[in-house]
Every structure is written in C-alpha cells, then in structure tokens.
Amino acid sequence: MGEFRMPSLGADMDAGTLVEWLKQPGDRVKRGDIVAVVETQKGAIEVDIFEEGVIERWLVEPGTTVPVGTPLALIAGAQPATAAVSAEVPATVAPTPAPPAPLAGWLPSGGLDWIS
C-alpha cells in the first residue's frame, strides 16, 4: 500500500493546507492525475499523484494544515514512489567524455612579445 504525501510545492514551503479532495476513496488514480488542491503562502495549487492504484482512504480532512511529507491518503495497489522512479533510471551509465587535448602550438613563434 502506498502513501500520498503532502508535497513540497516550493523551496520555502514547510506546510500546506488541504483545501479539497478532487478524487474519492474507491477511485482509481494514475501518475499525473490531479487529486487535491493545497493552499500555500503563494496561493492554491492543484496537486497530482505519482502512484498508481485505488484510493483506499483519506488520512487528512480538508481545512487541515500539515507539514510537507505528511501522509494525506493511502493508495491500494501502489508501489512506493521511489520504486517507480528507480525503475525509470537507465541501468547503464554514460561514459565520461575524455578531457580535451592540449592546445599545442597556439602561441605565435615570437612568444607573447607581439602583444605589447
């Protein structure tokens, strides 16, 4: 069972107020579905979900202010978001490019005397 948590919607966000749920327990959700509206210092923001599954139950009622990271709902059949993200990361690592070759012979034959 996965948890839908209060996301950080800005670098300075410590908490948010759940304004309304846009989905109900029993609804099937998938990554990217808008499920709630959260009020921050900067205004009301629609929040999407990263898990896929069925909303089991709400853990926070509208009007409640909670810290970032607080579980808001339980999602049945969902894998933790970290597992979904790691599955998308390619297994191979790109090779590090070779350093550029030194610029040999770029000075004029007289050295830097020509600049003065």
Side-chain angles (χ1 to χ4, degrees):
M1 179 146 334
E3 292 179 333
F4 172 63
R5 296 176 176 265
M6 174 64 77
S8 175
L9 301 170
D12 60 346
M13 181 179 164
D14 295 324
T17 303
L18 178 66
V19 175
E20 103 182 87
W21 287 112
L22 301 177
K23 300 285 186 178
Q24 298 301 314
D27 288 352
R28 177 164 292 285
V29 292
K30 65 184 182 318
R31 184 181 181 113
D33 284 351
I34 305 297
V35 296
V37 177
V38 171
E39 181 77 30
T40 69
Q41 293 174 343
K42 297 180 181 182
I45 300 173
E46 292 180 332
V47 179
D48 60 340
I49 194 165
F50 292 98
E51 292 85 8
E52 184 169 330
V54 176
I55 298 171
E56 181 73 26
R57 65 184 166 110
W58 300 136
L59 301 175
V60 175
E61 294 295 321
T64 307
T65 301
V66 296
V68 169
T70 300
L72 300 176
L74 296 178
I75 311 298
Q79 295 180 354
T82 54
V85 170
S86 64
E88 296 172 6
V89 175
T92 59
V93 176
T96 304
L103 298 174
W106 65 274
L107 289 176
S109 60
L112 296 177
D113 294 337
W114 64 275
I115 296 177
S116 44

